[in-house]
Amino acid sequence: MIDWLASLDWAWPWAFAAVPLPWLLRRAWRPAADSGGEALRLPFFDEAVGLVGDSQRRRGRSGSMTMAWLVWLLLCVAAARPQSTGEIEIPPRSGRDLLLAVDVSGSMAAEDMRIAGRPVDRFTAVQRVLTDFLQRRVGDRVGLLLFGSQAYLVTPLTFDRGTVAYQLQTSAIGIAGRETAIGDAIGLSVKRLREQPQAQRVLVLLTDGVNTAGTLQPLEAAELARAENLRIYTIGIGGDSQYGGMFGMLMPQVADQIDEATMTRIAESTGGRYFRARSAQELAAIYAELDRLEPAEQHGETLRPIVELFVWPLSAALLLAALLAATRLLPRRREALP
């Protein structure tokens, strides 16, 4: 009880100045002056007063006046807005504005990845690992960009990581074309992140090939990113070899080459890092490393929630006012009955 009273505060304490207002108005509102004329004299006045129960009426009037004063006092208390402060809270705030650029070109259909011992294509492995990665980015705003022959922003920056994961899961290989426009993907990312705080701009770009389409060269796009303080982490995905079918037999094929030198220069020139993922396990380890390099959650300013309590004195005042009206009206209705 003592702790609750200690946390009690008043938003508008000046409202208590209105407490004596009815008393002041009553004092200022004087009765009309006596005209000096003769009043009607009743020799049996005392007996008449006794018949109507003067003492009982005075007690009822006194009780009504006390209740009216209590109603007014409760209204003044409610007008002062009593508040109670809760426990200190430290809410999370956005640590990063993180844009994920994922390659959906035709080469992502190569089945050189394994999940739970089952061979899967590269894009399926990316979908699985990125979904787990998104679940850990609490407090971040995340966006999704897909690129093939062209680059498209699928999901703008949002705190709704579930929507980003859904858009990734429902995407398909070749949806943006069969070639690879790495430079255009970086250029579009720069455009979308330009208005965000400089210390929070991060792009994670995942591809399995070399730049074969688009109007902007990757290194030129990296210069634009560096000028806008956009940090880029590049990931090259793909096994050293892949297998294809021929007459019912599995035959080794040469894997698509990744331009690792360009990917490394893009990352290092913008303050990021280049990673190579040859398996789903390595890809998961890379995103775990990104969690360490780019912490997802930071603590914001401490907050102490405020609970408004004016509803309680206001409700009590309305209840007493209704009760007072009922006690005044019931006797009159009884007197009106024959």
Side-chain angles (χ1 to χ4, degrees):
M1 183 66 179
I2 297 177
D3 294 338
W4 182 83
L5 291 176
S7 64
L8 190 64
D9 196 8
W10 307 91
W12 299 334
W14 46 262
F16 285 112
V19 171
L21 186 59
W23 179 80
L24 293 174
L25 290 176
R26 187 177 181 184
R27 294 281 296 179
W29 198 339
R30 297 181 180 179
D34 189 3
S35 60
E38 293 292 333
L40 178 63
R41 296 182 180 276
L42 292 176
F44 50 87
F45 178 76
D46 292 338
E47 290 79 359
V49 169
L51 289 174
V52 299
D54 183 64
S55 60
Q56 183 178 357
R57 292 199 174 198
R58 286 185 178 180
R59 286 195 299 269
R61 187 178 301 171
S62 176
S64 298
M65 185 62 66
T66 301
M67 191 175 294
W69 270 106
L70 184 56
V71 169
W72 178 251
L73 179 62
L74 288 172
L75 288 175
C76 291
V77 171
R81 284 184 59 193
Q83 299 173 338
S84 177
T85 53
E87 296 294 331
I88 295 178
E89 296 179 358
I90 306 178
R93 69 180 182 186
S94 175
R96 296 290 182 270
D97 286 323
L98 183 66
L99 191 58
L100 304 175
V102 180
D103 187 350
V104 290
S105 62
S107 57
M108 291 292 286
E111 294 187 357
D112 57 358
M113 295 285 169
R114 286 184 173 271
I115 296 179
R118 180 174 60 89
V120 297
D121 59 70
R122 297 170 180 174
F123 187 62
T124 299
V126 171
Q127 288 175 313
R128 180 73 61 86
V129 175
L130 263 183
T131 300
D132 295 336
F133 175 73
L134 286 170
Q135 292 177 354
R136 299 193 298 269
R137 303 305 298 186
V138 178
D140 274 0
R141 291 200 309 170
V142 184
L144 177 64
L145 185 149
L146 301 179
F147 66 95
S149 302
Q150 295 178 321
Y152 298 96
L153 182 68
V154 179
T155 309
L157 291 173
T158 177
F159 289 109
D160 188 357
R161 294 169 289 118
T163 297
V164 179
Y166 174 78
Q167 293 288 354
L168 178 65
Q169 292 295 331
T170 55
S171 298
I173 297 172
I175 193 174
R178 309 295 295 183
E179 297 183 285
T180 308
I182 298 174
D184 286 1
I186 297 175
L188 182 57
S189 301
V190 172
K191 180 179 179 180
R192 294 299 180 181
L193 293 173
R194 181 176 295 162
E195 302 301 325
Q196 308 308 321
Q198 292 187 4
Q200 299 178 5
R201 305 172 187 172
V202 178
L203 170 64
V204 179
L205 185 142
L206 184 144
T207 184
D208 68 342
V210 298
N211 189 77
T212 57
T215 58
L216 192 61
Q217 293 301 311
L219 293 180
E220 294 176 356
E223 286 299 315
L224 295 176
R226 186 176 64 83
E228 295 293 338
N229 294 311
L230 171 60
R231 190 160 52 256
I232 303 177
Y233 294 93
T234 55
I235 301 174
I237 183 173
D240 292 327
S241 64
Q242 58 179 328
Y243 292 86
M246 181 176 292
F247 304 111
M249 302 176 59
L250 293 178
M251 302 292 294
Q253 297 177 355
V254 178
D256 293 332
Q257 296 297 317
I258 300 174
D259 190 354
E260 294 192 76
T262 300
M263 294 297 102
T264 302
R265 290 180 61 184
I266 291 173
E268 292 180 351
S269 65
T270 59
R273 284 178 57 183
Y274 169 69
F275 301 92
R276 180 72 166 89
R278 294 177 175 83
S279 66
Q281 291 76 15
E282 288 186 3
L283 183 60
I286 289 170
Y287 280 109
E289 178 68 8
L290 289 176
D291 279 335
R292 186 187 67 82
L293 294 173
E294 301 291 341
E297 183 177 343
Q298 298 178 358
H299 293 303
E301 297 180 358
T302 58
L303 300 177
R304 188 182 289 271
I306 297 177
V307 181
E308 295 284 353
L309 304 176
F310 70 90
V311 65
W312 298 106
L314 181 60
S315 299
L318 294 177
L319 182 61
L320 287 177
L323 183 60
L324 178 61
T327 57
R328 298 291 296 272
L329 292 176
L330 285 178
R332 296 182 182 179
R333 294 189 63 181
R334 289 176 181 175
E335 292 176 1
L337 291 176

